[in-house]
Amino acid sequence: QDGSYLAEFLLEKGYEVHGIVRRSSSFNTGRIEHLYKNPQAHIEGNMKLHYGDLTDSTCLVKIINEVKPTEIYNLGAQSHVKISFDLAEYTADVDGVGTLRLLDAIKTCGLINSVKFYQASTSELFGKVQEIPQKETTPFYPRSPYGAAKLYAYWIVVNFREAYNLFAVNGILFNHESPRRGANFVTRKISRSVAKIHLGQLDCFSLGNLDAKRDWGHARDYVEAMWLMLQTDEPEDFVIATGEVHSVREFVEKSFKHIGKTIVWEGKNENEVGRCKETGKIHVTVNHKYYRPTEV
């Protein structure tokens, strides 16, 4: 989602935008389809796409050398926290070492003095929080392979900034959502499931920890913050958040309220269900497989 909103934002600002897209047997450009000069024919205008991958340093050097960008935004990641427990090594390779490959490519291409680099950092770095509220100096305590990989990326960005004087920043962003968010993220899972229930296509769906709390912002606002960080005089790291936390339970209640249904909770822990007050139907159940081994 972030890449599509960012591309949109930069194109409106008059940038020529280059993106790296992974090879797939199906078109995986759904979120940026509308940004083509001719969406039907996939004809490019000011947005140009290159095949590449954060696990392949050769292609990164080739693309950066060819494009010679003035700003690089690294939003590439295996970004699903729960899935990072299942794909721990891959997550480390893409999210951690992938960032190093990009930074190294900038250095190899001799662009240290002309490029500004944005690293998509994450509130997952704070993990088991050491103070409330969190700020740029709060000690990190990641609680997932995703958080740990992003911690390496964070420090390698700081390292390149201090060692080579590269204009490089970390944006420590709290959760940000949108209709373009992947369907297996909890906000989209809830909103899509509620829509399907409303349309009579689904009766019930399962969630993990209903009492997990998050600070949810909107991706469109957060990509503007990314751009603003690269427009500062001196590179520094920033935390971006709304300052409000809400529970998954609350998100479910608000979503059902939107279609005129009131959810009443019954039972405890894994036996808890969300029942519709108006019809008596159970629409939400809890499944332990959606719980994380460690919660933040």
Side-chain angles (χ1 to χ4, degrees), residues 9 25 31 43 45 70 90 105 111 129 160 197 199 225 266 280 286:
F9 178 83
S25 55
R31 294 176 186 143
I43 292 169
T70 52
Y90 174 74
L111 298 177
V129 296
F160 267 68
I197 288 168
L199 295 170
E266 299 171 2
V286 172

Side-chain angles (χ1 to χ4, degrees), residues 64-265:
I64 289 172
N65 195 45
E66 186 188 316
V67 174
K68 296 202 165 36
T70 52
E71 295 178 1
I72 292 178
Y73 296 84
N74 179 28
L75 312 183
Q78 188 301 100
S79 61
H80 199 290
V81 178
K82 171 72 170 75
I83 291 169
S84 79
F85 286 95
D86 303 318
L87 298 176
E89 186 184 331
Y90 174 74
T91 302
D93 194 17
V94 175
D95 302 15
V97 185
T99 304
L100 173 63
R101 290 188 187 104
L102 261 180
L103 292 166
D104 253 340
I106 292 169
K107 188 162 158 274
T108 301
C109 295
L111 298 177
I112 286 280
N113 298 320
S114 57
V115 161
K116 290 184 172 185
F117 184 85
Y118 172 83
Q119 168 62 15
S121 216
T122 170
S123 60
E124 291 286 330
L125 295 179
F126 297 125
K128 191 175 177 183
V129 296
Q130 302 302 294
E131 62 181 3
I132 295 173
Q134 291 91 63
K135 53 186 187 286
E136 287 84 355
T137 54
T138 301
F140 296 136
Y141 197 138
R143 300 266 281 171
S144 65
Y146 170 76
K150 283 287 194 176
L151 182 65
Y152 175 85
Y154 173 91
W155 284 116
I156 204 68
V157 167
V158 172
N159 200 254
F160 267 68
R161 182 167 71 211
E162 294 176 354
Y164 305 112
N165 216 19
L166 172 68
F167 191 112
V169 304
N170 285 291
I172 305 171
L173 274 48
F174 275 74
N175 296 47
H176 41 287
E177 314 298 316
S178 77
R180 298 182 196 175
R181 184 70 134 146
N184 62 349
F185 286 85
V186 72
T187 50
R188 290 294 283 132
K189 183 177 180 179
I190 294 167
S191 59
R192 281 166 59 89
S193 298
V194 170
K196 285 176 182 173
I197 288 168
H198 185 58
L199 295 170
Q201 297 171 0
L202 186 74
D203 286 328
C204 185
F205 63 98
S206 297
L207 293 169
N209 182 5
L210 294 169
D211 295 312
K213 289 184 176 174
R214 293 292 182 274
D215 181 318
W216 282 302
H218 196 296
R220 184 180 272 121
D221 299 328
Y222 284 42
V223 300
E224 185 175 353
M226 296 173 190
W227 177 77
L228 286 168
M229 284 180 221
L230 291 195
Q231 311 317 308
T232 55
D233 294 333
E234 293 293 325
E236 58 175 309
D237 306 321
F238 292 91
V239 176
I240 306 295
T242 70
E244 275 185 31
V245 290
H246 297 278
S247 66
V248 172
R249 186 187 298 278
E250 220 180 315
F251 201 110
V252 170
E253 289 166 1
K254 281 186 185 295
S255 300
F256 275 104
K257 192 66 94 194
H258 197 69
I259 61 162
K261 287 180 184 284
T262 310
I263 290 294
V264 179
W265 302 100

